[in-house]
Amino acid sequence: RALPDVLVVYGGVHPTYMWDEILRDCAAIDFIVRGEGEQTALDLMRALRWASDLSAVSGIAYRVNGQPHATPDAPMIRDLDAYRVGWELIDHARYSYWGGKRAVVVQFSRGCPHLCTYCGQRGFWTQWRHRDPVKFAKELARLHREQGVELINFADELPTGSRRMWLAFLNALIAENVPLLLVGSTRAGDIVRDRDILHLYRKAGVIRFLLGIESYSDATLATIGKGATMSEDQQAIELLREHGIVSMATYVVGFSEERDADFWRSFRHLVHYDPDQIQLLYATPHRWTPFYETVKDRQVIQKDTRRWDYKHQVLANPSVPAWRVFLWFKLIEVMVQMRPKVITRMLAHRDADYRHAMRWYTRIGRRVWMHEVLEFLFLTRREKHGPTLEAFAGKDLSEREYALAKRIPNAERPSRSGEAAIKFKANPSLVARRSSNIPT
């Protein structure tokens, strides 16, 4: 409203798949950058500057005669080092995390070769790639020396995807001899794979890894394509603890229509896993994922899509009312986090960085927990007789997922070790197949 002549460009995962509906429903948005944005945004700016033919710019969407129109997909960025972060544009003193430590968010790699059906990002990056591990380590070291950065937060879906490249990065960062703390997310299988080099994780500064446990049921893990097992999950947590690395386990409610007994079993299994921290989430259906099709007939109880953020209930459970699902959700969080052994680690662990991480997470978690309880009781509106998911949100858009659109016969899929690859035939079903392998 203040600047009506300014062009608005929107990008990211959601607009990549929902470009036509966004352009139809939101007149304020002029262009959408679909997929990876670095080169596409540059091409778009040049075309606008020189009034060039927009149809020649790959990977954008805009209106033609008032109707949404998309150009062909932009090519994948293969050399991540060719598109540097403009760190000089950032006032680093304004950005902190982990209790006031100066922090940055980085990517060592992009993508994930695994096929979790519910993941909203699994097809966005199309292929796992990584930066040069030595150059990346030097960049992080320079940020510490020149800008006082203390904590590195990895935005990667799978930074450890290639054991060889991750090991090269760890060794390069250790050689830089900078006191950085590293936090990120990975898969339990990679931790188990790297049991012999976990001491290097810690020496390089890794202090926390988030692990997607998701469910206590091997059957559910297989159904959602997680590609993990309960025993592997528990093993990874134990290995991280042995090396002074905080394990944060995410656990998702709502993949199936749980009953009260299922919630009780979830609690018991989480206690058995014994993670240092937990993060409970609600299954959230993205229209471009295969998971959406499996829940399209379930009732929507949250019609405000701004709350489709994994922290609010979206779908009804016909066996357990929403208030009781929420009660189980919050009780499990408290009962797991308040166990004596967790409190003991927080107060008396031998590693000061570990104690600081545990205390910081507990303090933040306590604030969030209270906020979510108050919000549920007084601010959140839930539908008692809401529509089905398909009636509310529309048909599934899984055919738009990049992982499906870019199927290549005889593509290579990474092995569990990350050191070799096996061949497989692409399947034209809704189960996506990666278009190429993890480089090793």
Side-chain angles (χ1 to χ4, degrees):
R1 287 193 295 268
L3 301 169
D5 295 330
V6 169
L7 293 177
V8 178
V9 182
Y10 183 26
V13 178
H14 176 77
T16 289
Y17 297 113
M18 307 293 289
W19 58 270
D20 48 350
E21 293 187 13
I22 291 169
L23 290 173
R24 184 194 67 203
D25 297 340
C26 187
I29 293 174
D30 300 293
F31 294 95
I32 287 175
V33 171
R34 299 165 47 244
E36 292 176 288
E38 287 89 346
Q39 184 61 49
T40 302
L42 180 59
D43 292 343
L44 174 59
M45 294 304 109
R46 285 172 172 165
L48 292 172
R49 172 66 178 83
W50 301 111
S52 303
D53 181 9
L54 290 171
S55 65
V57 180
S58 300
I60 64 170
Y62 56 101
R63 297 179 188 85
V64 175
N65 297 325
Q67 297 301 312
H69 170 77
T71 62
D73 295 347
M76 181 186 66
I77 295 174
R78 296 190 177 276
D79 182 6
L80 298 183
D81 289 300
Y83 297 86
R84 72 178 187 85
V85 178
W87 296 118
E88 71 277 8
L89 303 178
I90 299 171
D91 179 0
H92 288 275
R94 297 177 61 191
Y95 296 92
S96 65
Y97 186 50
W98 211 258
K101 294 184 182 296
R102 191 169 294 191
V104 295
V105 179
V106 300
Q107 276 187 319
F108 173 58
S109 67
R110 285 182 177 176
C112 178
H114 298 279
L115 307 175
C116 304
T117 62
Y118 59 89
C119 177
Q121 291 194 188
R122 69 176 208 164
F124 181 76
W125 300 114
T126 70
Q127 178 182 321
W128 193 90
R129 294 144 287 153
H130 62 85
R131 292 188 55 188
D132 181 287
V134 176
K135 290 180 180 178
F136 184 62
K138 289 183 179 297
E139 182 176 316
L140 301 189
R142 184 187 62 78
L143 286 172
H144 171 76
R145 293 176 181 131
E146 296 181 8
Q147 301 295 339
V149 170
E150 302 169 272
L151 186 129
I152 308 297
N153 191 350
F154 284 79
D156 306 39
E157 287 82 10
L158 191 63
T160 59
S162 166
R163 172 186 164 99
R164 189 163 68 90
M165 291 298 104
W166 181 248
L167 178 58
F169 162 69
L170 294 176
N171 284 326
L173 189 59
I174 291 169
E176 292 290 340
N177 194 29
V178 287
L180 289 171
L181 293 174
L182 279 56
V183 301
S185 305
T186 192
R187 290 176 61 89
D190 285 10
I191 298 300
V192 176
R193 177 200 71 193
D194 289 349
R195 64 171 70 229
D196 61 321
I197 61 170
L198 287 177
H199 64 288
L200 297 178
Y201 278 53
R202 189 66 193 91
K203 188 175 181 180
V206 174
I207 190 60
R208 184 272 277 163
F209 261 130
L210 183 148
L211 304 173
I213 301 301
E214 321 304 34
S215 174
Y216 72 83
S217 165
D218 279 338
T220 299
L221 292 174
T223 298
I224 63 177
K226 182 65 181 177
T229 64
M230 294 163 53
S231 61
E232 196 173 59
D233 292 338
Q234 185 177 1
Q235 216 178 346
I237 290 170
E238 291 172 352
L239 286 168
L240 288 176
R241 181 170 303 118
E242 287 175 14
H243 291 84
I245 301 172
V246 173
S247 62
M248 172 174 276
T250 62
Y251 194 87
V252 183
V253 170
F255 283 137
S256 59
E257 297 174 359
E258 298 104 329
R259 298 178 180 274
D260 290 295
D262 295 311
F263 289 113
W264 174 248
R265 280 192 287 270
S266 294
F267 164 68
R268 292 183 61 187
H269 278 271
L270 280 170
V271 170
H272 184 62
Y273 286 139
D274 192 24
D276 296 313
Q277 299 284 329
I278 63 166
Q279 186 178 136
L280 264 62
L281 306 169
Y282 295 101
T284 302
H286 300 295
R287 286 176 64 189
W288 55 90
T289 63
F291 174 65
Y292 184 91
E293 179 70 15
T294 68
V295 293
K296 65 180 182 180
D297 295 323
R298 288 175 63 178
Q299 178 192 354
V300 172
I301 60 172
Q302 179 52 260
K303 294 172 72 173
D304 182 354
T305 55
R306 292 173 299 178
R307 298 181 186 272
W308 289 35
D309 56 4
Y310 300 99
K311 295 301 289 181
H312 294 84
Q313 294 183 59
V314 172
L315 302 176
N317 183 332
S319 302
V320 182
W323 68 266
R324 209 155 74 231
V325 172
F326 181 79
L327 181 62
W328 275 114
F329 194 96
K330 305 316 289 183
L331 282 176
I332 289 172
E333 288 179 333
V334 169
M335 291 188 295
V336 173
Q337 292 295 150
M338 295 302 292
R339 291 172 296 138
K341 61 172 61 177
V342 174
I343 295 175
T344 299
R345 290 174 203 148
M346 180 173 62
L347 298 177
H349 195 276
R350 64 183 182 278
D351 187 323
D353 288 335
Y354 185 102
R355 293 196 306 272
H356 175 84
M358 290 289 287
R359 290 170 180 170
W360 184 81
Y361 272 127
T362 301
R363 184 170 65 251
I364 295 297
R366 184 169 61 245
R367 292 166 55 187
V368 172
W369 193 93
M370 289 300 302
H371 170 81
E372 290 178 348
V373 169
L374 294 173
E375 182 187 55
F376 183 88
L377 294 175
F378 303 111
L379 299 177
T380 303
R381 179 183 175 183
R382 292 168 298 280
E383 302 292 325
K384 291 184 178 180
H385 305 288
T388 65
L389 176 61
E390 186 175 48
F392 174 72
K395 297 287 186 181
D396 89 279
L397 300 175
S398 56
E399 76 282 355
R400 292 188 178 182
E401 189 180 33
Y402 280 26
L404 298 174
K406 298 181 182 299
R407 288 189 297 268
I408 298 176
N410 294 322
E412 292 183 349
R413 181 181 177 187
S415 70
R416 182 171 296 244
S417 69
E419 290 299 316
I422 58 174
K423 296 287 187 177
F424 73 97
K425 290 286 188 178
N427 184 342
S429 70
L430 286 180
V431 179
R433 294 295 187 262
R434 288 294 169 202
S435 61
S436 65
N437 71 306
I438 287 183
T440 60

